[in-house]
Amino acid sequence: MQSPTEKKAGVYTYIAQYPIYSLAWSMRRDKKTRLATGSFIEDYGNKVELVQFNTDTGDFSTDSRLVIEHPYSPTNLMFFPSSESTNPDLIATSGDYLRLWEIHSDQVELKALLNSNKSSEFNSAITSFDWTEFESHRIATSSVDTTCTIWDIEREVVDTQLVAHDKEVYDISYGAPQVFASVSGDGSLRVFDLRDKERSTIVYENSSPDTPLLRLEWNKADPRFMATIGMDSNKVVILDIRFPTTPLMELKKHKESVNAISWESRIGRQLCSVGDDSRALMWEVVSPNIRQDIDADMDPMMWYGSTAEINQVRWSLVDSDWVAITFLSKLQLLKV
């Protein structure tokens, strides 16, 4: 079905029937311009919609049969992290539970509901998760109950569960096989190596005391670098994990709070940040002589202004020319 679309040079807009929060790009070679959007409705009934973008015409299309009725607003969405079209066509969602869905041509079927607390009818909310190509049989989740959980999704069992922080864990990101990082309401960013489960390394603590760190993105293309943002902060903190505790740089050109960040995924030199100032800023973060080239007052290499606060950003996992952002009920694709 053809969907409501706005076009202007380099900017393509899909208008959903609900406010959008969560967002994901497909990696599949046969579906590389497919996205998923998750609604933000303050009610039990929410939706996940699959949206196909046609790069030749600039049009979006959807299929009402491929809309997921989702309990509560999904906190994160990710497609199966592989470009191979021989793999099952799966999408994972988080909220009250971690769920796995299988996408068919005419329906989306719930494949698994993963519950780590079988002894209770209640489950602690899952704030986010990560699912990567090098660990495609495992999903790492973060939760408000201070834990991080590694799921074996093939066996549908918990592989490992760690008490990761002193307060809620808000985000989680893989850096290498068996290695992930998380950020928390306690203001710390910690790295865990599952080969030594008794220890974690504090890589960074928020310079604002008692202020949570909300988002974390480990640079998959260049895992020396991470980016994180704090609550109500206009700064993006860039970390070089070879030199922990001291930020490599702070990107400070947003005029209001930053809401989300995303690395360019093929080379990992660029980062996009979005915020309450209705702007998406593109930064050239990683250069060959990065430690010599640091500019304490760095400007973005380009920026885009929207008409409302931007909630989410995701750089395409397959084609670095495309960045997706969401605000109000709009999914917007930017040709960069």
Side-chain angles (χ1 to χ4, degrees), residues 125-150:
I126 296 171
T127 52
S128 191
F129 67 91
D130 199 15
W131 196 10
T132 70
E133 218 163 346
F134 52 71
E135 292 269 30
S136 63
H137 65 293
R138 290 193 178 98
I139 291 179
T141 64
S142 54
S143 173
V144 296
D145 67 2
T146 76
T147 65
C148 292
T149 303
I150 311 299

Side-chain angles (χ1 to χ4, degrees), residues 30 36 41 83 93 109 120 145 151 175 186 202 212 218 298:
D30 59 341
I41 301 167
S83 60
T93 66
E109 176 187 18
S120 169
D145 67 2
W151 285 94
D186 63 18
I202 296 179
W218 203 325
M298 181 189 287

Side-chain angles (χ1 to χ4, degrees), residues 1 69 82 84 86 96 134 170 232 246 280 282 284:
M1 183 181 76
E69 298 295 329
S82 171
E84 295 301 323
T86 52
D96 53 345
F134 52 71
Y170 287 123
D232 300 328
T246 304
M282 313 282 178
E284 187 84 29

Side-chain angles (χ1 to χ4, degrees), residues 133-192:
E133 218 163 346
F134 52 71
E135 292 269 30
S136 63
H137 65 293
R138 290 193 178 98
I139 291 179
T141 64
S142 54
S143 173
V144 296
D145 67 2
T146 76
T147 65
C148 292
T149 303
I150 311 299
W151 285 94
D152 183 324
I153 60 169
E154 291 176 350
R155 294 165 51 223
E156 298 182 15
V157 296
V158 172
D159 185 292
T160 305
Q161 189 167 54
L162 302 170
V163 176
H165 290 266
D166 300 327
K167 292 185 177 178
E168 303 94 334
V169 190
Y170 287 123
D171 206 358
I172 190 166
S173 187
Y174 272 114
Q178 308 255 19
V179 179
F180 68 87
S182 58
V183 290
S184 164
D186 63 18
S188 71
L189 189 164
R190 303 183 187 214
V191 173
F192 296 84

Side-chain angles (χ1 to χ4, degrees), residues 235-265:
K235 296 188 300 187
V236 180
V237 178
I238 306 296
L239 301 161
D240 182 336
I241 64 167
R242 299 168 300 174
F243 304 93
T245 71
T246 304
L248 177 69
M249 65 181 80
E250 293 182 336
L251 310 176
K252 298 181 283 193
K253 294 299 181 178
H254 279 283
K255 294 180 170 60
E256 296 183 49
S257 299
V258 182
N259 292 326
I261 45 181
S262 183
W263 290 100
E264 184 278 314
S265 63

